[in-house]
Amino acid sequence: MSVTKNNEKMITSLQQLDFTKTYTYADYLTWQFDDSVELLKGKIYRMAAPSRRHQMVTGNLYATIRHFLWKKPCHVFIAPFDVRLTIQDKNSNQEITTVVQPDVCLVCDAAKLDDAGCIGAPNLIIETLSPGNTKKEMKNKYNIYEEAGVQEYWVVYPTDKTVQRFVLNEQGKYIGLAPLTDEDVLTTTILPGLEIRLEDIFED
């Protein structure tokens, strides 16, 4: 049963939410249920429980980057970790309508970090796909990350053992790079010197 506080209905179950409504980060902070959700331009997307392989691949990527960053200024985070993406100067809780939990994200500007997570675009976002990810969700995230100015966006396909990378150009548009497989070594200009052997990342 829902309880009331300050004459407002407390949200304690995902079923109480209207999936046709547009919500804000301020709303998101009041929800008191265990289900993991993201907000993409105000719309709710439920996060499916990740598979074992999803967790293994994501953990390998995080561990590799984390080891490389030891005593370096950038920071890498693994989900659950709230990233609030802002539009222009709209950065109050009532104005933010996009809150995502990337599988892995890299933040090199410490000013974007606070106790709640990250506010603003990370330098790199990595999404490891699961069967529960929908085409609509992934298309929306591509557009949102591009609009927010996420410098690089990697989409990891554990089953196919491939990584698709998108890099922001000078016009603020993503350029898709050639897919990499488990036979390749992944590098990025964001972290010069980092070499990720995908054979190790996808190793079961």
Side-chain angles (χ1 to χ4, degrees), residues 31 35 45 50 66 81 146 161 163 190:
W31 299 339
D35 302 86
Y45 284 79
R66 179 69 183 85
F81 180 76
E146 182 182 72
K161 298 185 178 181
V163 179
I190 297 176

Side-chain angles (χ1 to χ4, degrees), residues 1-19 21-37 39 44:
M1 177 179 178
S2 299
V3 296
T4 58
K5 181 179 180 181
N6 297 330
N7 297 321
E8 293 185 3
K9 190 175 183 180
M10 298 287 287
I11 303 298
T12 57
S13 169
L14 185 62
Q15 285 66 40
Q16 292 175 257
L17 297 176
D18 182 351
F19 278 67
K21 183 179 175 181
T22 298
Y23 293 96
T24 68
Y25 181 59
D27 297 317
Y28 177 92
L29 289 174
T30 68
W31 299 339
Q32 299 182 16
F33 47 74
D34 294 330
D35 302 86
S36 296
V37 299
L39 281 183
I44 303 167

